[in-house]
Amino acid sequence: EKAYAGIRRLMFHNEIVPGQKIAYRDLAERLGMSQTPVIQALKWLEFQGLVRNERHRGYFTEPISLQEVEEIYDLRELLEVDLLRKGLARMTPTDLGRVKSAMNEHLAAAQGQDLHARLSKDMAFHLELAACAGTQVQQQSLRNLFDLLYLKYGANVLFSTDMRQAGAAHERLFEDIASGDRTRAVRSLRRHIRAVKKHVLSGVGRLVEARKLKSF
């Protein structure tokens, strides 16, 4: 578990990047442990689709895929909209308070200099809103999608996301939820996810093109 958490942390902070060969011996030294738990952690990350194992070559992180990023956001929209509808049907004042706190924490982080804190608080807001639905399997599926985005792509998503726009979108969404207007809330969530998707695809697309040019 320590090795797994350590590798996730390195991926989130872009210290392990897409398309990189993972030298597990160096990784074990870096994490201050033996190679065995590191290899076990890499196997679990492979099962999650975050790394791959090539026979006789070792472990690698997956390269950037625009198609995958687009599919993740499409699935996020389907999943989060369904969770929102279920959550609105059973939301309590306590639930609403937790969502508001998560929103405020993201707004505060968006004003700071810690870029990874911004991303973490953005994710926390969406997961807190999803938790209102009370559906464990769907919530875990959403967490897995965030893992693919924020661990696999890390800073490539972070630097392609306008956190000021995301914060304003969270505020509009919360206002619609608090007012009890379910139709507007669903519309706000859809608009928000689609806007982020467009922004991220544009940014990651430029990065892919830059790497192609560099390879020549």
Side-chain angles (χ1 to χ4, degrees):
E1 290 179 0
K2 183 180 178 182
Y4 176 72
I7 297 171
R8 284 173 59 93
R9 184 174 61 254
L10 292 173
M11 294 178 74
F12 182 69
H13 287 278
N14 215 44
E15 294 179 51
I16 297 176
V17 299
Q20 174 183 332
K21 177 176 172 57
I22 302 173
Y24 57 82
R25 293 178 181 85
D26 294 339
L27 193 56
E29 290 182 7
R30 194 170 182 180
L31 295 173
M33 60 183 66
S34 68
Q35 294 177 25
T36 300
V38 169
I39 294 172
Q40 290 173 338
L42 287 170
K43 287 180 179 179
W44 179 243
L45 290 164
E46 180 186 12
F47 175 76
Q48 293 178 290
L50 296 172
V51 302
R52 74 179 187 279
N53 184 21
E54 295 187 8
R55 187 175 177 84
H56 303 308
R57 294 192 65 202
Y59 285 93
F60 293 79
T61 52
E62 293 286 359
I64 292 173
S65 167
L66 277 175
Q67 180 179 339
E68 183 178 58
V69 173
E70 185 170 13
E71 288 179 9
I72 289 170
Y73 276 102
D74 288 344
L75 187 52
R76 265 193 64 185
E77 180 180 337
L78 290 171
L79 190 54
E80 288 196 59
V81 165
D82 187 54
L83 284 164
L84 177 61
R85 286 183 172 133
K86 290 174 179 175
L88 290 172
R90 65 193 299 276
M91 188 173 290
T92 66
T94 300
D95 292 331
L96 189 63
R98 284 197 293 265
V99 172
K100 184 176 182 179
S101 294
M103 177 191 70
N104 288 335
E105 288 180 11
H106 173 252
L107 291 174
Q111 302 302 315
Q113 299 300 314
D114 189 337
L115 300 179
H116 292 90
R118 299 181 192 180
L119 204 62
S120 179
K121 294 301 182 182
D122 174 81
M123 176 177 64
F125 170 77
H126 284 272
L127 291 176
E128 190 63 62
L129 184 58
C132 297
T135 54
Q136 297 301 316
V137 173
Q138 284 183 303
Q139 289 176 57
Q140 185 58 53
S141 297
L142 183 58
R143 290 189 192 96
N144 291 341
L145 290 177
F146 275 117
D147 273 357
L148 283 173
L149 277 175
Y150 294 169
L151 295 182
K152 188 171 180 179
Y153 292 97
N156 298 308
V157 170
L158 171 61
F159 292 117
S160 301
T161 304
D162 189 332
M163 285 297 167
R164 290 172 298 180
Q165 291 185 9
H170 288 178
E171 288 185 294
R172 286 192 296 271
L173 174 57
F174 180 79
E175 289 172 2
D176 292 337
I177 292 171
S179 71
D181 192 328
R182 298 184 183 185
T183 301
R184 284 182 58 186
V186 168
R187 188 182 302 124
S188 291
L189 180 58
R190 286 190 188 278
R191 188 182 299 119
H192 170 45
I193 294 175
R194 290 176 183 179
V196 174
K197 170 189 167 185
K198 181 179 179 180
H199 201 77
V200 169
L201 285 174
S202 177
V204 175
R206 288 193 298 270
L207 178 65
V208 170
E209 289 302 315
R211 289 187 176 184
K212 287 181 180 178
L213 291 174
K214 187 176 180 180
S215 67
F216 285 112

